[in-house]
Amino acid sequence: MRFPRTQMIALVNQKGGCGKTTSSVAIASAFAHLGYSVCLADTDPQCNATESFGVRAESVVEGGRYTLADAYLKKRAATDIEFGFDDRFGGRLTILPGNRGLSSVPLKLESELQIAIADGEKTTLDADEMRSEQRLRLKRSLDTLRGKKDVVIIDTPPSLDFLMVSTLVAADWFIIPVFPSGYDLKGLELLMRTVTKVRERYNPELRLAGVLLGNFDKTAILDRDIHQMLKNRFGEEVVFNTTIGRSVRMRDATVRGVTIFELPEAQTQAQQFLTLIHEMINRGSKRKDQTLNPLPGEEIFGRVANG
Ligand SMILES: Nc1ncnc2c1ncn2[C@@H]1O[C@H](COP(=O)(O)OP(=O)(O)OP(=O)(O)O)[C@@H](O)[C@H]1O
Ligand SMILES: [Mg+2]
């Protein structure tokens, strides 16, 4: 390990199609490219992050392997679920594959709880405790990677439901990816309120690592205005200076089942993510006690929540 401790970073935004998966995969491969040990967790039933590596989600299940759904349903440790690629990323990158069945996990856990009550094993008063335990299952699973990986990146589905909340419970950091076209402040307010609740109830250490503007066209005035607007809203220090340019190479890579680090014609895009990693790490090195920059927590939450 190169970091003194494992850094778990979730990519969250309940808005669909704002670069969560693209950034998760690229950030994970960028860290691996730089020599860090990395695990990418795919909590999204769409399994886009898993498939970005050319892994068919169904083939994981057919092959008898565990998926991230088993972290929730069978309380499987991430160390039992992860698998890597012998010949890619210098063996430094593993994934916790997604599963289409992740969409029914909340329902299954709720029925587990109702059955326990109906059988008289638990009282309705125990229900809250049980729900809390269910929200902690992903954390318990991912915690088995602590001390083993430098970085764990978590891709999340476009919703604020159980899967996203349990990710925020597990993470040390979250990054909010935003596209200039879909800039939706109301959505971000709701996200921040959810984060505040998670911090109060489960994870006081959860911090915002930064807001990442992707699909960015630096020649478009609107895009530049939005970058500035985000900085005004969140603070200069919170929005990453590094932006990710708009390019068809991003989709090219996904379609071919490789990352931009494995696609020679996507080197400009890969370089942007390396710059992003340097920005994250250099922010951190200014503080002795942290590896990545802890961004100003409370006042940011207040500023966004108050609109
Ligand atoms: N920098 C970029 N330039 C051009 N297209 C991009 C860029 N980043 C992402 N895209 C494309 O935008 C679409 C949405 O991106 P992505 O899948 O990463 O978003 P998401 O937030 O994970 O979506 P969902 O909420 O459905 O999980 C994809 O087709 C992706 O290829
Ligand atoms: Mg996605």
Side-chain angles (χ1 to χ4, degrees):
M1 278 192 44
R2 293 177 53 179
F3 283 150
R5 45 192 187 87
T6 303
Q7 309 286 326
M8 299 222 181
I9 310 172
L11 281 283
V12 294
N13 189 338
Q14 75 275 23
K15 189 171 170 51
C18 60
K20 291 181 290 296
T21 302
T22 306
S23 313
S24 300
V25 171
I27 291 172
S29 2
F31 269 115
H33 181 85
L34 290 168
Y36 295 90
S37 55
V38 189
C39 180
L40 175 72
D42 185 359
T43 67
D44 186 352
Q46 297 179 98
C47 304
N48 293 340
T50 302
E51 303 203 322
S52 296
F53 291 94
V55 174
R56 213 168 44 86
E58 285 75 14
S59 72
V60 179
V61 180
E62 288 158 14
R65 282 186 189 274
Y66 293 120
T67 70
L68 208 61
D70 299 309
Y72 292 105
L73 300 175
K74 297 183 184 151
K75 303 188 194 178
R76 274 281 151 199
T79 45
D80 292 340
I81 303 170
E82 70 170 337
F83 66 84
F85 308 92
D86 295 338
D87 50 345
R88 296 166 75 180
F89 316 101
R92 285 185 295 275
L93 194 147
T94 60
I95 64 169
L96 301 171
N99 183 324
R100 313 262 178 237
L102 277 162
S103 55
S104 59
V105 160
L107 210 62
K108 284 187 176 148
L109 292 180
E110 184 61 25
S111 70
E112 194 180 282
L113 187 154
Q114 295 301 337
I115 288 167
I117 292 170
D119 287 352
E121 268 175 49
K122 300 275 179 186
T123 69
T124 45
L125 286 177
D126 295 322
D128 278 351
E129 235 167 78
M130 285 180 74
R131 285 199 185 93
S132 281
E133 185 276 325
Q134 292 172 343
R135 286 190 193 110
L136 282 162
R137 285 189 191 182
L138 180 66
K139 175 183 166 54
R140 300 245 155 84
S141 173
L142 294 181
D143 276 351
T144 61
L145 297 172
R146 289 200 187 270
K148 297 193 176 77
K149 304 281 172 192
D150 288 302
V151 187
V152 177
I153 304 289
I154 317 169
D155 186 26
T156 60
S159 70
L160 283 169
D161 70 5
F162 173 82
L163 293 170
M164 209 264 247
V165 167
S166 67
T167 299
L168 291 173
V169 171
D172 303 313
W173 306 95
F174 64 105
I175 291 175
I176 308 176
V178 180
F179 275 1
S181 51
Y183 179 51
D184 174 4
L185 193 67
K186 273 229 156 0
L188 293 184
E189 283 172 31
L190 201 58
L191 171 61
M192 288 310 208
R193 247 181 276 144
T194 306
V195 167
T196 304
K197 289 223 167 81
V198 169
R199 285 160 60 106
E200 283 166 8
R201 287 192 206 158
Y202 298 97
N203 188 3
E205 301 300 320
L206 176 65
R207 290 169 207 268
L208 174 59
V211 176
L212 175 64
L213 188 55
N215 201 17
F216 182 72
D217 178 357
K218 63 174 184 292
T219 63
I221 293 170
L222 177 70
D223 286 22
R224 291 207 306 268
D225 283 353
I226 287 175
H227 198 204
Q228 194 51 51
M229 255 160 70
L230 283 169
K231 285 183 171 181
N232 295 346
R233 205 68 180 186
F234 283 87
E236 288 278 340
E237 69 285 23
V238 176
V239 180
F240 290 115
N241 280 321
T242 313
T243 51
I244 308 303
R246 185 170 306 159
S247 162
V248 290
R249 301 286 180 230
M250 295 294 190
R251 231 181 22 227
D252 282 357
T254 315
V255 169
R256 293 188 209 181
V258 295
T259 67
I260 49 175
F261 285 86
E262 300 164 293
L263 196 66
E265 56 271 38
Q267 289 321 292
T268 310
Q269 287 66 43
Q271 187 56 49
Q272 291 169 354
F273 280 96
L274 292 176
T275 308
L276 175 70
I277 304 292
H278 285 128
E279 187 180 349
M280 279 199 252
I281 293 172
N282 291 332
R283 280 169 155 187
S285 62
K286 291 189 192 119
R287 292 181 58 110
K288 294 241 163 4
D289 56 333
Q290 297 285 345
T291 315
L292 297 174
N293 184 32
L295 289 149
E298 308 304 335
E299 65 273 24
I300 295 297
F301 289 99
R303 218 184 299 167
V304 174
N306 298 333

